[in-house]
Amino acid sequence: MEKYIGIMSGTSLDGIDAVLVATDGEQVTLLARTGSPFEPGLRRRLLALAGGGAVTARQWGELDAELGQAYAAVTLQLLHESGHSAEHIRAIGCHGQTVWHQPAGPLPFSLQLGDGNRLAAGTGIIAINDFRRKDMALGGQGAPLVPAFHQRVLGGVDHVRILVNIGGIANITVLAPDQPVLGFDVGPGNMLMDLWARRHLGQPYDNNAAFAMQGRVDTALLNRLLAEPWLALPAPKSTGRELFSEAWLNARLPDGMAPADVQATLAEFTATAIANEVDKWSAGELLVCGGGGHNPLLMQRLAALLPNWRVDTCNSAGVDMDAMEAMAFAWLAHQAMHNLPGNLPEVTGARRPAILGAVHLPG
């Protein structure tokens, strides 16, 4: 078994998650995990950039360098807390921070910032990043990549098992007996709820859904949100802040609605968009990972909207729901180091399986 580090900072922009795993490619064991919030100024600049804000080449380069240093710092923190040193680690798999994801159009691309050279030089460990663009060069969406890992650690069951990662965006993986793995984005996860919490609470998120639980779902607004044409597109599909932005939400909000009612409706929107896709399969098991698993209202609504399904978190199946995505990128680093494919063409739409990631040596 070799040891790898996985680093994830997702669409929610709430901070950096890092994990240490032992894996042979088949078995993946979580050894340690840590995390670090984004420095507030860095988070503000990333939000502005991801929202389509204009930046200079200098600002762009500085963000890339600053993120590389932040990823190196959280790696050193993980090593210190776990009692490991750099020579114990085969490689780091770092997702990077997505600032623009454009999977359709004449020139599809996905851009993640976070200088892998600084990560490697700052830690003394081989760093692998830029996992998405090879899949896109082969005609794929470049996302989601985590279903391949879901299949590895939670596949092989005799019933329909669907995993939903509720980060900034919500994406599902369908693991069904004797069927190819399916996976795609289904719509916003926490992103719009977090946006509304920042606007009306001055907080990064709605802790324990306390704000949403003060409100009532507005059916007219919910229907306007659910009428978004992207939701009806067939897979493969992926999305991000480029679509479900503050401007997108503002264009659909009526005047004078109580802020708590908007928050309740946004939670219902996330739950309904997920449930609408899950319910296309026969009853089975829905396992939630990501930050949305800590939202009691989302969990309650998923269970209510899917009465024939067993709804729980990935913890019940033995995988830490908060570590899942970072573990996936540690595993993707293993795949790259062993010249093994990391994508599933049936999920992303790529023409073939491919070895993913750009390798940065520390020396």
Side-chain angles (χ1 to χ4, degrees):
M1 301 282 274
E2 298 172 331
K3 293 176 182 176
Y4 290 83
I5 286 173
I7 300 176
M8 182 71 196
S9 59
T11 315
S12 290
L13 279 164
D14 49 0
I16 304 169
D17 295 318
V19 300
L20 173 64
V21 307
T23 183
D24 59 3
E26 297 294 326
Q27 302 294 320
V28 185
T29 302
L30 178 63
L31 302 178
R33 62 182 294 260
T34 194
S36 176
F38 280 126
E39 186 274 324
L42 175 59
R43 188 172 191 270
R44 282 195 302 272
R45 284 178 283 132
L46 288 170
L47 279 168
L49 179 57
V55 294
T56 65
R58 175 180 175 176
Q59 291 168 325
W60 191 281
E62 288 177 346
L63 276 172
D64 186 50
E66 191 171 351
L67 278 166
Q69 292 175 175
Y71 294 141
V74 79
T75 299
L76 296 176
Q77 176 181 319
L78 177 64
L79 292 174
H80 174 74
E81 292 174 0
S82 65
H84 287 75
S85 58
E87 57 265 26
H88 296 148
I89 312 302
R90 180 74 191 278
I92 302 167
C94 180
H95 174 270
Q97 185 59 53
T98 299
V99 292
W100 200 263
H101 182 68
Q102 183 174 300
L107 284 174
F109 73 95
S110 187
L111 186 60
Q112 287 75 41
L113 293 184
D115 184 359
N117 297 287
R118 289 176 183 265
L119 175 55
T123 60
I125 303 169
I126 293 170
I128 306 172
N129 65 356
D130 194 12
F131 285 97
R132 300 194 182 278
R133 291 195 293 176
K134 175 64 72 64
D135 183 89
M136 299 188 85
L138 293 168
Q141 296 264 318
L145 296 179
V146 177
F149 178 69
H150 288 163
Q151 180 189 35
R152 183 69 62 190
V153 296
L154 289 174
V157 291
D158 60 0
H159 57 276
V160 176
R161 170 179 276 176
I162 296 182
L163 284 80
V164 57
N165 177 69
I166 309 178
I169 293 293
N171 58 274
I172 65 172
T173 299
V174 182
L175 305 172
D178 304 318
Q179 293 185 35
V181 177
L182 297 176
F184 50 93
D185 290 352
V186 297
N190 301 312
M191 181 188 305
L192 296 176
M193 291 183 287
D194 290 351
L195 183 160
W196 200 247
R198 288 195 304 273
R199 185 187 295 185
H200 289 278
L201 301 178
Q203 298 174 1
Y205 62 94
D206 180 12
N207 190 30
N208 289 322
F211 185 34
M213 288 183 180
Q214 296 171 19
R216 299 173 60 183
V217 173
D218 183 279
T219 303
L221 174 58
L222 177 62
N223 289 336
R224 280 197 297 277
L225 301 176
L226 290 169
E228 164 56 47
W230 182 90
L231 297 174
L233 292 176
K237 63 178 183 176
S238 55
T239 189
R241 290 184 181 275
E242 304 74 31
L243 174 59
F244 293 106
S245 63
E246 186 167 11
W248 182 92
L249 178 59
N250 289 342
R252 288 156 178 80
L253 288 176
D255 293 331
M257 183 179 292
D261 291 350
V262 175
Q263 188 77 351
T265 306
L266 293 174
E268 189 71 9
F269 176 41
T270 291
T272 302
I274 294 168
N276 285 348
E277 293 295 339
V278 170
D279 217 23
K280 293 177 181 179
W281 281 269
S282 59
E285 178 184 36
L286 178 66
L287 299 179
V288 179
C289 55
H294 295 286
N295 185 314
L297 181 58
L298 279 184
M299 295 299 290
Q300 291 168 17
R301 293 306 301 148
L302 286 170
L305 291 166
L306 297 165
N308 297 321
W309 288 74
R310 187 180 83 83
V311 178
D312 208 332
T313 69
C314 291
N315 294 8
S316 68
V319 181
D320 187 330
M321 68 175 176
D322 295 315
M324 176 73 83
E325 281 203 296
M327 289 174 67
F329 282 89
W331 177 80
L332 284 167
H334 170 276
Q335 297 298 96
M337 292 296 291
H338 290 269
N339 296 316
L340 295 170
N343 62 336
L344 291 176
E346 58 269 32
V347 169
T348 66
R351 291 188 292 274
R352 61 173 172 80
I355 300 164
L356 306 180
V359 178
H360 304 273
L361 302 178

